Amino acid sequence: EVQLVQSGAEVKKPGESLKISCKGSGYSFTSYWIGWVRQMPGKGLEWMGIIYPGDSDTRYSPSFQGQVTISADKSISTAYLQWSSLKASDTAMYYCARPPKSWGQGTLVTVSS
Amino acid sequence: DIQMTQSPSSLSASVGDRVTITCQASQDISNYLNWYQQKPGKAPKLLIYDASNLETGVPSRFSGSGSGTDFTFTISSLQPEDIATYYCQQYDNLPPLFTFGPGTKVDIK
C-alpha cells in the first residue's frame, strides 16, 4: 500500500526558516514524482511544484518559483518543502502528493508573530 | 499557462438530485483531467481520472465526461456523504505540470 506520511504541525515566527517532510513507503520512491500542494485557510488547492527523487529533477509552478525549495533524500525515501524566511501569508495546510491518487495527511504551518 | 475555471462555485441540492459541475480549460488539454473530492480537514481524494475513468472503489453515482477544453462531473443521485468541495485538475506529463480549478462546494438543501 502506498503511504505518504508528513511531519507534524509547525508554529513559526515571520522571518524564520522551516523544512517540512513527506516520507513515502509501499512503492519505489525513486520511480515516481512527488509534488506539494498549498491550501490557505478557507481557500482552494494550489499546485506548488514537483520533484523526481530518482534524479532530483524539480519543477516549480510559476507562482512559487523562488519562494520555496523542494528537495528529496532518496536514501530515506523522503521529500521536503522548505522556506528560508517565512511570511504570515505562508500560513496554510501543505500536502504532499504522488499524482494522481496518493496524498499525505497534510502539515499545518502557522506563521504568526 | 493553462487556466482552469469551474462552475458553479457552490451549489445546494436535495438528497437524490442529479448534480453537475463543469470545468473549462483555457486551451486543449485532451483528456488530461482529474476530479477530486475534498471533505473538511481531509486530503483530496481522486474520484475520476483521465476525464471519464472511475477510480477503483468510488461509487458509480460519480461520473465524468469531456475532452479538449470542456468537461463535466456528475453525481447522479446526491447522498449526504457527498457534501464536499470538488476540484478539477489538469495535468501534463512531460514535464509534469498540474493546475487545479477553483473548486465547487456542494451542500445539501
Side-chain angles (χ1 to χ4, degrees):
Chain A
E1 178 197 7
V2 175
Q3 280 199 308
L4 298 174
V5 178
Q6 298 185 228
S7 50
E10 301 274 1
V11 180
K12 291 289 191 178
K13 290 181 166 42
E16 292 186 331
S17 63
L18 177 63
K19 193 174 190 178
I20 62 175
S21 66
C22 169
K23 183 173 176 61
S25 63
Y27 71 101
S28 174
F29 183 76
T30 54
S31 301
Y32 293 85
W33 294 84
I34 286 189
W36 288 93
V37 175
R38 182 176 78 175
Q39 188 166 40
M40 300 175 75
K43 302 298 184 184
L45 304 168
E46 300 173 272
W47 189 268
M48 302 176 71
I50 195 164
I51 187 166
Y52 189 76
D55 61 6
S56 294
D57 186 3
T58 308
R59 311 298 175 100
Y60 294 93
S61 174
S63 301
F64 294 92
Q65 180 81 48
Q67 307 305 306
V68 296
T69 301
I70 294 170
S71 60
D73 184 340
K74 57 188 179 183
S75 70
I76 54 171
S77 300
T78 300
Y80 300 98
L81 176 66
Q82 70 180 86
W83 296 259
S84 59
S85 180
L86 286 159
K87 302 183 282 287
S89 57
D90 292 317
T91 294
M93 181 71 82
Y94 293 88
Y95 294 100
C96 63
R98 197 197 89 172
K101 177 180 175 178
S102 301
W103 290 70
Q105 82 277 20
T107 296
L108 181 62
V109 174
T110 303
V111 184
S112 174
S113 54
Chain B
D1 292 358
I2 297 175
Q3 306 300 317
M4 306 299 295
T5 57
Q6 271 182 251
S7 62
S9 57
S10 64
L11 66 89
S12 188
S14 300
V15 173
D17 281 356
R18 184 181 185 87
V19 168
T20 299
I21 298 168
T22 62
C23 177
Q24 188 168 56
S26 59
Q27 63 190 70
D28 189 337
I29 60 169
S30 185
N31 67 332
Y32 297 150
L33 186 101
N34 300 324
W35 288 95
Y36 291 88
Q37 175 194 66
Q38 188 183 32
K39 296 183 177 181
K42 299 293 188 182
K45 175 185 176 183
L46 179 68
L47 300 181
I48 303 288
Y49 64 94
D50 295 345
S52 60
N53 295 294
L54 190 68
E55 174 63 10
T56 302
V58 173
S60 59
R61 64 180 180 274
F62 296 101
S63 65
S65 64
S67 67
T69 61
D70 296 301
F71 302 86
T72 300
F73 173 81
T74 300
I75 308 173
S76 61
S77 177
L78 186 68
Q79 300 301 304
E81 60 266 32
D82 299 336
I83 300 313
T85 301
Y86 293 85
Y87 296 92
C88 62
Q89 179 206 50
Q90 74 85 23
Y91 65 92
D92 286 318
N93 284 323
L94 293 170
L97 295 172
F98 303 83
T99 306
F100 289 100
T104 296
K105 187 174 182 180
V106 175
D107 281 325
I108 295 286
K109 194 183 294 183

